[in-house]
Structures are given as structure tokens and as C-alpha cells.
Amino acid sequence: MSDQTTGPVPDEELPVRDAALDTLLSQWVMTSPDTVDVEAALARVTARRLAEAAPVRDDLAARRAAQKVSTSTPRFWQSSAVRIAATLVIALGAAAIWQGTRSPAADKYLTGIGASQEITLLDGSVVRLGPASSLALDAGFGREHRHLTLHGEAWFKVTHNDKMPFAIRIGTTTVEDVGTAFLVRESSEHEVSVRVAEGAVRLTTTAAAHDSTVMLRAGDGAVASALGITVASGVVTSTEGAALAAGRLTFTDASLAEVQDALRRWYGVSLIIADSTLASRHVTADFTGEPMSRVAAVLGLTLGVDAETHGDTIELHAAAGVPSRP
């Protein structure tokens, strides 16, 4: 079963509150389906929905809500009326239809900007697919092998199986489970960052002049690129592991290339490095939905640079007379 954090709701509509839908479902559970007054129930949900005020959303949340909904969620599901109708269908005994749309047997998963999806695979492994990312399972996954392809980022909690290794392909890099929980994040520069919170993984890249393979243990981080694999031991703390498992956007000594792509996926924000001397700088930060001005301020303080916001863009400039931090 997968559980998707949905994309935006159109501004002209008020969101349907979960409590209202829960009330309707509770009524159905406690009453024979033959006695449920569907029209009255729908009227009560609609009246409550109209009576409630729209939630207050900060600047960044509003910006994320303006982004395109996940490509794995058809646009017509954004309609509040359609969601209410779907709930009534479930209440009338068509739960099997809903379960079918959430089947773990799907072979491809997609998310939009600002949206994430938690997926339980057939082998029991759990994946939290990050925003603007895709995960494709090879034919026969869970029966003949456990091979899949990732673009973007995802957190994995893998059920270990010695006879059937769990292997993730990201471009020319492969991450193979040795019984673990870890993050994999891809950048547009074809760098692959891996953060291991539990267990161990085997990281292999064929992009370098000579193929490279390293074993990463709990607490290790690594970046695979055309230059090979760079390993930083003991840099992933339990706090970071918990944040990553919870789906928070966390950077620990991350390259600006990685930060650029993650901000684009999570918030639809373009990070422009106006000064080329900053390209080699690294970022340590944790974002949980702050407004854009706060994101820019954190980046500026972390890097020791000037960070300016212009619409959907954050520009980084070396501060006059102040050397930027490495």
C-alpha cells in the first residue's frame, strides 16, 4: 500500500477537512448501509466545508501549493466534489476500487514538485519517494529479483534478503542494500549522494575512469561522481537519520549542486550561484517548510554570503569584504 502526500488544492476551493470525512465514515460503520441517508450526509459535509475558514499558509507553503500536482495523481482528483463522491463510494461498499489504485504491485511511481509518496513494496521494503522524483521497478521485482531505477531522491528502509539483493540504479551508479535504512539523492550534475542511517550499503559507480566500489556503514555519507567516490565516515547522526526518515529536507555538508536540485524539487525555487567562486561551497541545513526569505537567510548565514530573493529565485553573491566559508 502506498500513501501519497498530495500536491496543491486550487485556491478557489476550500479543502475538505479530514474530520468531516471521518464523521461520515463513522456514521456508515455504525449504521446499516441500507439506512444511510447519503444525500443528507453529503449535505452536512458540504455545509461544514463552507463554514470553515481557509487555512493560513506561509509564503513558502503558498508557493509550493502553486506548483503542479504529482503526475501520479490525476488532476480531476483535486476537485473537492470528486473526493467527496469517492468517499461516498467507499462508504457504500466499493473499498476494493480504492485499494486497487494504491496497490503495491505498481511498476512505476511519480511525484510532483513539493509532493512525496510513501510506498510499501511487495518484498516489505518501505520507500519514501521525494518530490519531483520517479521510481521504476524492473519486471519481475519481488519474484525473480529486486532491481529498480531511481531519478531524484528517496529514503529506503529495506527488508534484507541474502538470496535476492536490493539494487538501486541511479544513472551510472548502483546502491546495493546489505540490510539498512538510507537516503539516495541525485543532482543534475550526475552526482549521487548516499546517507546511511542503519546497516550498510555497497556503492558502485562506473562513471569514473576506473570503476569504483565502496562499502558504507551506518553513519557514513558518500558522493559518487565522474571523479570517483568520496566517503565521509561518521557524519550521519541519529538526528539526521530521524529527519530523513520523516521526510524532512536535510543537508549535511552538501554540495551546492545537490542543494540546487533539492530546492527545485521540494519548493520550485531556483538557486542561482552568481559568483563562480562559490560553486565549491557546501551547506549544512534543515528545512521544514520555512518561507522563501528564511531559506535564503539560512543559506546566506551558512555560506557566509549575500542571498537575494527575486520571485522564484534565490541568488547567492560573495559578501563584499567577507570571505565565504568553505
Side-chain angles (χ1 to χ4, degrees), residues 14-72:
L14 293 176
V16 177
R17 297 298 296 265
D18 291 341
L21 297 181
D22 288 342
T23 299
L24 178 57
L25 290 175
S26 296
Q27 178 185 6
W28 172 76
V29 170
M30 298 176 63
T31 310
S32 169
D34 295 334
T35 63
V36 174
D37 187 340
V38 175
E39 293 185 0
L42 177 58
R44 287 195 295 275
V45 173
T46 303
R48 180 167 181 173
R49 169 173 166 266
L50 294 175
E52 293 176 338
V56 177
R57 295 182 288 183
D58 61 27
D59 173 65
L60 188 51
R63 295 166 57 77
R64 291 175 65 180
Q67 300 300 326
K68 196 172 183 179
V69 72
S70 165
T71 54
S72 63

Side-chain angles (χ1 to χ4, degrees), residues 135-159:
L135 185 71
L137 311 183
D138 287 7
F141 180 92
R143 298 184 301 275
E144 304 167 9
H145 60 77
R146 295 194 298 169
H147 298 164
L148 46 82
T149 300
L150 171 69
H151 290 293
E153 68 177 89
W155 169 264
F156 295 87
K157 178 71 173 179
V158 176
T159 299

Side-chain angles (χ1 to χ4, degrees), residues 7 12 31 43 47 68 76 89 110 123 126 147 154 171 173 178 189 235 240 243 272 296 312:
E12 65 269 16
T31 310
K68 196 172 183 179
F76 70 89
V89 169
L110 301 169
D123 67 339
V126 177
H147 298 164
T173 298
V178 190
E189 301 296 323
V235 296
E240 180 184 352
I272 296 178
D312 292 337

Side-chain angles (χ1 to χ4, degrees), residues 160 175-182 196-202 215-218:
H160 186 62
V175 182
E176 186 175 334
D177 151 68
V178 190
T180 187
F182 56 96
V196 182
E198 300 175 14
V201 301
R202 182 179 295 106
M215 184 69 73
L216 303 176
R217 306 290 179 182

